[in-house]
Amino acid sequence: MFKNCIVRKPAKSMVEGITSAPELGKPDYELALKQHEQYVKALESCGVKVLVLEAMEDFPDSCFVEDVAICTDKCAVITNPGAASRNKEILGIEPAIREYFNDEDVHRITSPGTLDGGDVMMVGNHFYIGLSERTNMEGANQLIEHLGKYGKTGEAVPLFEVLHLKTALAYLENNHLIVGGEFITHPTFEKFNKIEITEDEAYACNCIWMNDTIIVPEGYPKTQKAIEDKGFKIITVDTSEYRKLDGGLSCLSLRF
């Protein structure tokens, strides 16, 4: 069960954030701010304490805190983000991380290794690490080495179609796994009870398990029904403005 979350308010500069979908338009900052507040309320309703960090105007994508750190029950790893414009975001997250972890339990990914937290999916004490344009094998190996000090394991999974591993995967505990796109038939994930998401609702693959409640993006009824049919309680949150920056529900928080 998770006890804590860390989030960061979106910056006004988010309208200049990185995107692979410019056709969706620039984010509406005021709407994004309201959506972020609803997101925090949804997290809190699941019984966790949420630390809300102030916006970092110099970093348009800094609300996506998941990419700059990995938090587990025993340790944290400060990443080395693969996008140059986001790399210094780690300076803003580290002080917050150290409020929860002893210094000896905070580790780093160092160059030439790169790692985005969006490429890391935790399944118990095992971690799947996507090899993407943002995360390389050296970064994955460093993370596996750090996790190994705490009895945890990891494995690398090459990506070919999606930005991050968790763009098309979400672990819902009890062996349930949301899968979309290239992962539907991926041999690595054969052992899971798969909830397959259709291409027209592909964005909804990025859900988060939060203490037996699943937070799902608003507006994807087939995905919502598929999860409810497995017996899960659901909360929906509108993330339309974050989708414009390739961001989803998991990207907006660190959960541990």
Side-chain angles (χ1 to χ4, degrees):
M1 301 290 277
F2 294 131
K3 297 178 180 178
N4 299 292
C5 290
I6 300 173
V7 304
R8 185 180 295 283
K9 293 178 183 178
K12 293 178 181 178
S13 60
M14 73 178 293
V15 298
E16 303 302 332
I18 301 169
T19 182
S20 64
E23 69 276 6
L24 296 178
K26 290 185 180 292
D28 177 324
Y29 170 69
E30 294 300 329
L31 180 54
L33 205 56
K34 291 177 182 176
Q35 291 178 349
H36 196 266
E37 290 171 357
Q38 291 302 311
Y39 178 78
V40 171
K41 288 180 181 177
L43 294 174
E44 290 175 335
S45 74
C46 297
V48 294
K49 293 182 179 179
V50 182
L51 173 63
V52 182
L53 303 177
E54 290 303 313
M56 295 174 69
E57 287 297 337
D58 291 342
F59 300 98
D61 298 282
S62 56
C63 59
F64 300 124
V65 291
E66 180 179 62
D67 287 324
V68 293
I70 311 296
C71 294
T72 78
D73 57 338
K74 295 181 178 178
C75 66
V77 180
I78 307 297
T79 69
N80 190 26
S85 64
R86 299 198 60 191
N87 201 266
K88 289 186 179 179
E89 289 177 30
I90 60 177
L91 301 177
I93 201 68
E94 187 167 352
I97 294 295
R98 292 188 182 278
E99 290 186 26
Y100 296 92
F101 296 91
N102 295 325
D103 286 349
E104 63 269 23
D105 295 321
V106 178
H107 307 279
R108 286 181 172 277
I109 304 297
T110 57
S111 296
T114 61
L115 183 81
D116 271 20
D119 279 319
V120 181
M121 182 176 73
M122 180 178 68
V123 178
N125 284 317
H126 188 69
F127 292 72
Y128 294 93
I129 307 161
L131 300 180
S132 66
E133 291 185 3
R134 308 280 182 87
T135 297
N136 61 21
M137 194 69 218
E138 172 64 24
N141 284 336
Q142 287 184 33
L143 178 59
I144 291 169
E145 182 179 352
H146 291 314
L147 294 171
K149 300 168 188 173
Y150 301 87
K152 302 179 186 297
T153 55
E155 66 182 284
V157 181
L159 309 185
F160 300 101
E161 299 173 12
V162 293
L163 173 65
H164 284 137
L165 185 77
K166 284 188 289 197
T167 301
L169 286 176
Y171 185 57
L172 304 186
E173 300 298 316
N174 299 318
N175 208 46
H176 291 298
L177 184 70
I178 288 180
V179 294
E182 64 188 280
F183 299 122
I184 290 176
T185 58
H186 200 294
T188 299
F189 304 106
E190 285 179 342
K191 67 181 181 180
F192 292 96
N193 300 322
K194 292 186 282 188
I195 302 172
E196 296 184 11
I197 305 304
T198 55
E199 186 61 32
D200 61 318
E201 293 200 1
Y203 177 75
C205 287
N206 188 256
C207 300
I208 50 177
W209 178 92
M210 184 56 63
N211 298 344
D212 293 329
T213 295
I214 312 303
I215 304 179
V216 181
E218 186 176 287
Y220 301 91
K222 289 190 289 185
T223 299
Q224 181 174 338
K225 184 178 186 302
I227 297 171
E228 287 176 331
D229 285 348
K230 296 294 184 181
F232 288 104
K233 175 187 173 184
I234 279 182
I235 299 174
T236 60
V237 175
D238 189 359
T239 52
S240 63
E241 303 315 291
Y242 300 95
R243 184 182 182 185
K244 295 173 181 177
L245 300 179
D246 304 325
L249 286 164
S250 77
C251 314
L252 289 166
S253 61
L254 292 167
R255 304 165 299 281
F256 55 100

